[in-house]
Structure formats: structure tokens, C-alpha cells
């Protein structure tokens, strides 16, 4: 009864803030998302450790190996056009109430752990492996674990590479490329400097704006 009362209270607050039609549309979208999550659980029954989660339109989960495992915490919310892929016995864990925004990609062939209450902005890419370009290597993949702690905020267009540990309560600035250790309670950003260099042989007059009027 406590959970039902909390849900009703939340819906009523949404109604007061957003109006009836917006509240109905938003909660219908959430309901469809939870149905999509259940659908993927039925497809990959033995590979997904299921808790109620929501997946919006055009988001996909692909599990290409029976040894792969996806663990979902309660009320994970996945927005549109998110791609989650597991292969080669990869283990992916998403903590409670983790939020993944539009157009994100998570590729797991080894181990990726994402904690509770993590917020991931649009266009973020997380990989626990690289393709090995060396021709004499026995393996075509280089693998290393990725760990993202709880209460972490990852900015838009960030790329997180194999062998990365991000501590609890950290913030990763938009557009960052992350590899290595980010301590807890840290703001991480790549150093950015604008650089301009003259283009050799460029015809600067050809790039000048045209001047209206008659002949000089």
C-alpha cells in the first residue's frame, strides 16, 4: 500500500504541475517502456537478471553469447535510440534508478559495472574493449574492466574507454574522453585550448564576402 500511495502521490503532483494531457502522455510512455523492458526479459530470459526497467522507442538490447549476463537494478530508465550490446561472456550491471539518455552506446565483452543513481547524458559511448590492430597478436580484442560508481553524472558526448574507474559522486564534463582513474567527488574534464593555424596557399580573397554595388 505504501508503494501504491507513493505512485498516486507522484502522479497527482505531475497533474498539478503539467496538466492532465501531459501527465497522461508521459505516464503512457513510461508504461510502454516498462512493457518493452519485460519483452527483452522474455527474449533473453536466462541472460537478464530482471527488475522493472523502462526502455523507450528504438532502444535495443542485443546479447550475442549465452555466457553474457545483464543485471538490471530497480527502475532503470533508458531513453530513445540507446544501443546495449553484450558478447564474449560480457557482464554488464546497471544499478538502481540509473538514467541513460538518448543515443548512448554500451558495448560489453568483459565487465562493465555502473552504480546506483547514475545519470548519463546523450551520445555517451562506453566500451570495455578495443580492437587489437597488431597483426601478430593472438586476440583481436583488448579487454579491461570499466567501473562507474554511484551518484555519478556523465556529460554529453563523453567516451569512456576500457580500464576506467570513476569514483562515487564524480562529474565528467561534456565531450570528455576518459581512461584511467577518476577519484570520488571529482570534476573531470579534458583540457581544451583553441588553436588556429594559417592554411598554406589559401586564397584569402576568395573567402572574403562579396561587396554589393557597382564597379569601383
Amino acid at each position: 500500500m505504501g508503494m501504491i500511495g507513493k505512485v498516486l502521490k507522484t502522479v497527482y503532483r505531475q497533474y498539478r504541475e503539467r496538466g492532465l494531457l501531459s501527465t497522461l502522455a508521459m505516464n503512457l510512455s513510461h508504461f510502454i517502456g516498462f512493457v518493452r523492458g519485460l519483452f527483452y526479459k522474455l527474449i533473453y530470459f536466462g541472460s537478464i537478471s530482471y527488475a522493472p526497467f523502462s526502455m523507450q522507442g528504438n532502444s535495443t538490447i542485443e546479447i550475442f553469447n549465452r555466457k553474457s549476463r545483464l543485471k538490471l537494478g530497480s527502475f532503470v530508465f533508458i531513453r530513445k535510440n540507446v544501443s546495449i550490446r553484450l558478447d564474449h561472456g560480457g557482464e554488464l550491471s546497471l544499478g538502481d534508478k540509473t538514467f541513460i539518455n538518448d543515443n548512448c552506446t554500451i558495448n560489453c565483452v568483459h565487465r562493465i559495472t555502473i552504480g546506483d543513481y547514475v545519470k548519463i547524458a546523450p551520445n555517451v559511448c562506453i566500451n570495455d574493449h578495443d580492437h587489437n590492430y597488431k597483426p601478430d597478436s593472438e586476440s583481436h580484442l583488448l579487454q579491461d574492466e570499466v567501473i562507474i560508481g554511484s551518484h555519478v553524472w556523465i556529460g554529453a558526448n563523453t567516451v569512456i574507454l576500457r580500464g576506467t574507474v570513476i569514483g562515487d559522486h564524480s562529474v565528467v564534463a561534456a565531450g570528455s574522453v576518459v581512461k584511467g582513474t577518476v577519484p570520488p567527488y571529482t570534476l573531470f574534464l579534458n583540457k581544451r585550448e583553441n588553436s588556429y593555424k594559417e592554411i598554406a596557399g589559401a586564397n584569402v580573397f576568395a573567402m572574403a564576402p562579396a561587396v554589393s554595388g557597382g564597379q569601383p
Side-chain angles (χ1 to χ4, degrees):
M1 192 64 185
M3 177 63 71
I4 295 175
K6 185 176 180 180
V7 170
L8 292 176
K9 186 177 180 179
T10 300
V11 172
Y12 179 72
R13 185 176 68 249
Q14 293 171 350
Y15 162 71
R16 293 292 300 272
E17 294 175 353
R18 302 171 184 268
L20 179 60
L21 291 179
S22 295
T23 299
L24 290 174
M26 183 175 67
N27 285 282
L28 177 61
S29 175
H30 289 337
F31 175 76
I32 294 172
F34 280 108
V35 172
R36 285 173 56 84
L38 178 60
F39 171 75
Y40 276 101
K41 168 58 179 175
L42 295 176
I43 291 178
Y44 300 113
F45 184 80
S47 299
I48 295 181
S49 177
Y50 178 76
F53 75 101
S54 176
M55 287 188 65
Q56 293 194 330
N58 296 322
S59 290
T60 59
I61 296 174
E62 298 173 301
I63 301 178
F64 297 123
N65 194 303
R66 64 179 182 175
K67 297 180 181 179
S68 298
R69 293 292 181 267
L70 172 58
K71 181 180 179 181
L72 291 151
S74 298
F75 300 106
V76 170
F77 188 84
I78 300 171
R79 291 286 299 269
K80 297 179 180 179
N81 303 310
V82 173
S83 173
I84 297 175
R85 298 190 185 99
L86 292 89
D87 200 354
H88 298 282
E91 298 177 6
L92 171 61
S93 177
L94 303 177
D96 294 344
K97 296 186 178 180
T98 286
F99 174 81
I100 303 176
N101 216 318
D102 299 334
N103 305 312
C104 292
T105 301
I106 302 176
N107 292 312
C108 177
V109 302
H110 179 52
R111 186 177 298 110
I112 298 175
T113 304
I114 298 174
D116 300 331
Y117 299 95
V118 173
K119 295 202 175 351
I120 300 177
N123 305 307
V124 170
C125 182
I126 303 174
N127 293 287
D128 64 358
H129 62 282
D130 292 322
H131 288 279
N132 193 350
Y133 62 88
K134 297 181 179 179
D136 57 347
S137 175
E138 295 181 358
S139 174
H140 73 287
L141 293 178
L142 301 173
Q143 306 176 18
D144 205 349
E145 187 173 11
V146 172
I147 300 174
I148 300 172
S150 297
H151 299 276
V152 172
W153 179 22
I154 299 173
N157 301 300
T158 292
V159 178
I160 298 176
L161 302 174
R162 63 183 177 88
T164 293
V165 177
I166 300 176
D168 295 344
H169 299 277
S170 293
V171 176
V172 177
S176 296
V177 179
V178 190
K179 182 175 176 61
T181 299
V182 177
Y185 295 92
T186 298
L187 170 62
F188 175 92
L189 68 160
N190 294 135
K191 185 176 181 181
R192 300 176 176 87
E193 293 181 357
N194 293 331
S195 178
Y196 303 92
K197 185 176 181 180
E198 183 178 351
I199 301 174
N203 186 348
V204 295
F205 297 104
M207 296 185 290
V211 179
S212 60
Q215 295 293 328

